[in-house]
Amino acid sequence: MRYYRHLYLMDGLEKKREKIIRKLENNKFQANIHIITLAQNEKNHLEIYNSVLLLQPEFPKDDFFVVGIAKGYEDAVDLVELITQEVYNETKGADIRSYILEKEQEE
């Protein structure tokens, strides 16, 4: 998994960022953590996964580009809404994938 340089986190997770990522990388159980990734299908933009899904041995998580982390599904949906609003405010469009990939290349 790769992580977005400007990773979106729901309130309260900022201080736990490194710990959550370390647990994701080491396949540790985190029942209520959801990750938001760029969609595998390039026609779509974002996908939400419960981190428990990543514990399955054959789950193909290597290709994931994580753009956000939330605690709970509802917070994940709220985070997708926040990302979408930011993209619209900055570009007056809704091409989330392009916006994120361009920002990743900056700096």
Side-chain angles (χ1 to χ4, degrees), residues 16-48:
K16 299 177 183 178
R17 173 190 170 138
E18 297 305 320
K19 184 177 181 180
I20 292 169
I21 290 174
R22 189 171 48 253
K23 285 184 173 185
L24 287 170
E25 293 296 318
N26 293 315
N27 293 322
K28 300 292 182 187
F29 183 76
Q30 300 182 90
N32 209 22
I33 295 296
H34 287 69
I35 61 170
I36 299 159
T37 68
L38 283 184
Q40 298 295 315
N41 175 349
E42 292 187 12
K43 293 181 181 178
N44 297 325
H45 296 280
L46 301 173
E47 294 177 335
I48 299 172

Side-chain angles (χ1 to χ4, degrees), residues 6-97:
H6 308 285
L7 189 67
Y8 294 93
L9 298 165
M10 281 308 285
D11 294 336
L13 296 183
E14 294 88 2
K15 293 180 181 177
K16 299 177 183 178
R17 173 190 170 138
E18 297 305 320
K19 184 177 181 180
I20 292 169
I21 290 174
R22 189 171 48 253
K23 285 184 173 185
L24 287 170
E25 293 296 318
N26 293 315
N27 293 322
K28 300 292 182 187
F29 183 76
Q30 300 182 90
N32 209 22
I33 295 296
H34 287 69
I35 61 170
I36 299 159
T37 68
L38 283 184
Q40 298 295 315
N41 175 349
E42 292 187 12
K43 293 181 181 178
N44 297 325
H45 296 280
L46 301 173
E47 294 177 335
I48 299 172
Y49 294 95
N50 185 310
S51 65
V52 173
L53 193 63
L54 305 176
L55 299 176
Q56 296 181 43
E58 300 300 318
F59 196 78
K61 63 184 177 185
D62 293 339
D63 297 336
F64 283 171
F65 183 54
V66 179
V67 298
I69 299 175
K71 189 170 186 179
Y73 182 77
E74 293 298 320
D75 274 356
V77 171
D78 289 345
L79 193 54
V80 167
E81 184 178 325
L82 186 140
I83 294 167
T84 305
Q85 187 64 51
E86 179 181 311
V87 171
Y88 181 77
N89 291 344
E90 293 292 322
T91 68
K92 300 302 181 219
D95 190 354
I96 298 167
R97 174 181 291 279

